[in-house]
Amino acid sequence: MIKLAGVVVLYNPDLKVLDNLNSYISGLGMLFVIDNSDCQCEKFKNDLQLRFGSQVEYFYMGGNQGIATALNKGVMLAKAFQATWVLTMDQDSMFQENSIKVLLESLNRIPLGDRDRLGILSCKHFIEGYAFEEDSREFKEVDFVMTSGNLVNIDAYNEVGLFRNDFFIDEVDVDFCRRLINDGYKIVVVNDAVLFHFLGDTRKHKILWHDFMCSHHSYIRRYYITRNRLYMVGLYPDLRFEYYLRNVVSLLKVILFENDKGRKFRAFFEGVFDSYKGLHGKKIFKY
């Protein structure tokens, strides 16, 4: 029997986030709202309870503990709720109308034997600014999905282990997917279930006839992205060429297109040096 809970991780949210939650909460037995914000916002908490009542359980982490720690806390609460599957969500994601229903119906149609070896059933992501590829297939098996919009098999989570707390943020999703596949689980996308996902300040830039998408992440995110890609290379050597290239391309985009170049440049190289020093977890920045 499928019993479903949801986990959404917040970081300094505004009230528009409530509309995102509303796009999927009806499909859940319970939504655990894990707040990683720097300070607890009583107004948001009160509005959350007024709008959704007993459908949500709110938990404040006491500050930013990182995406992995927040997700693990949410899954722990889902397990206490006796959920067999958990929907993991970012605050800036919203399901297309009826897509949560499509996703859940797809899960229920999968035969029990196949479902047991299914690690994640995910939706198709529409990311603002990026091309949206049409696919006529109902299901598509993939090697990786972003954290948001995933139905995670609790039994698979128990087998492969927690989201990596020491990464803090970035590459947490890739690592978890890798561990699932290495343990024989499948990751499947339902093409008719669509999730709109907004990646911060992503913008398109043009040089001659070429378009380049830039995330314009803060210098803090640039540190974690750089550092954790290098940790991933150590864990999964087949990623070496791809991830070294990604880091170089990211640095070039900062130089060519992005603001706050000085701090981002410094954060990039601190990420490189800290990875070789074996420093993990949260970084305290003094610049």
Side-chain angles (χ1 to χ4, degrees):
M1 179 181 174
I2 295 172
K3 186 174 182 181
L4 184 63
V7 175
V8 59
V9 179
L10 306 182
Y11 182 70
N12 300 337
D14 57 37
L15 294 180
K16 290 185 292 185
V17 170
L18 298 177
D19 292 330
N20 294 345
L21 273 55
N22 193 56
S23 72
Y24 55 84
I25 194 170
S26 62
L28 306 175
M30 177 67 72
L31 176 62
F32 297 102
V33 179
I34 311 300
D35 193 350
N36 245 353
S37 299
D38 298 320
C39 298
Q40 187 175 22
C41 177
E42 289 297 331
K43 176 171 175 50
F44 182 90
K45 180 181 176 182
N46 292 337
D47 287 347
L48 178 73
Q49 296 294 340
L50 284 172
R51 186 157 179 178
F52 300 117
S54 60
Q55 288 181 283
V56 300
E57 184 174 322
Y58 173 91
F59 187 89
Y60 179 56
M61 296 291 285
N64 189 2
Q65 306 301 318
I67 186 70
T69 299
L71 285 170
N72 288 327
K73 176 64 178 181
V75 175
M76 183 191 74
L77 293 170
K79 289 165 68 173
F81 182 69
Q82 297 186 324
T84 55
W85 290 77
V86 59
L87 176 71
T88 57
M89 296 295 299
D90 293 341
Q91 69 179 24
D92 53 2
S93 298
M94 172 184 282
F95 275 95
Q96 187 181 59
E97 187 177 2
N98 293 324
S99 280
I100 185 64
K101 181 180 178 182
V102 171
L103 190 63
L104 298 179
E105 288 176 347
S106 298
L107 180 63
N108 279 285
R109 287 203 315 274
I110 296 173
L112 183 59
D114 294 335
R115 195 191 303 155
D116 287 343
R117 299 312 299 172
L118 179 62
I120 293 175
L121 188 67
S122 189
C123 53
K124 191 169 183 176
H125 288 77
F126 179 85
I127 302 174
E128 189 176 21
Y130 288 83
F132 185 72
E133 296 182 5
E134 297 294 338
D135 195 325
S136 60
R137 293 173 292 177
E138 182 179 6
F139 299 112
K140 178 182 178 181
E141 189 171 342
V142 297
D143 295 329
F144 157 74
V145 285
M146 298 167 59
T147 301
S148 194
N150 294 340
L151 291 175
V152 178
N153 184 340
I154 293 287
D155 287 339
Y157 173 92
N158 290 338
E159 184 174 334
V160 305
L162 309 181
F163 295 101
R164 290 188 69 103
N165 293 321
D166 57 342
F167 274 18
F168 190 73
I169 191 170
D170 290 303
E171 297 300 326
V172 171
D173 44 9
V174 183
D175 171 74
F176 186 71
C177 289
R178 275 294 181 120
R179 285 186 279 134
L180 284 172
I181 290 173
N182 288 347
D183 274 23
Y185 286 97
K186 293 183 178 181
I187 301 169
V188 174
V189 170
V190 179
N191 282 311
D192 288 336
V194 177
L195 186 81
F196 298 107
H197 190 73
F198 302 95
L199 291 178
D201 191 22
T202 300
R203 288 180 248 161
K204 183 185 291 186
H205 299 271
K206 194 175 188 71
I207 294 181
L208 299 177
W209 56 89
H210 291 291
D211 291 330
F212 299 90
M213 298 302 298
C214 290
S215 63
H216 290 267
H217 283 308
S218 70
Y219 71 94
I220 295 173
R221 286 291 303 279
R222 182 55 51 206
Y223 167 83
Y224 289 113
I225 291 168
T226 304
R227 187 193 73 179
N228 291 349
R229 281 174 178 168
L230 295 175
Y231 284 142
M232 288 291 288
V233 167
L235 292 168
Y236 310 103
D238 61 295
L239 293 175
R240 180 177 287 109
F241 177 78
E242 177 187 351
Y243 272 31
Y244 284 168
L245 180 61
R246 283 190 185 185
N247 271 347
V248 171
V249 170
S250 295
L251 184 60
L252 288 174
K253 286 181 177 180
V254 168
I255 294 170
L256 291 173
F257 304 120
E258 298 192 14
N259 297 322
D260 199 16
K261 299 181 192 295
R263 288 195 297 180
K264 290 180 182 179
F265 199 76
R266 179 176 175 180
F268 177 92
F269 283 102
E270 284 193 6
V272 172
F273 296 142
D274 284 356
S275 73
Y276 287 111
K277 289 188 287 186
L279 299 180
H280 294 81
K282 187 174 183 177
K283 171 84 169 179
I284 303 300
F285 295 88
K286 298 180 180 179
Y287 52 91

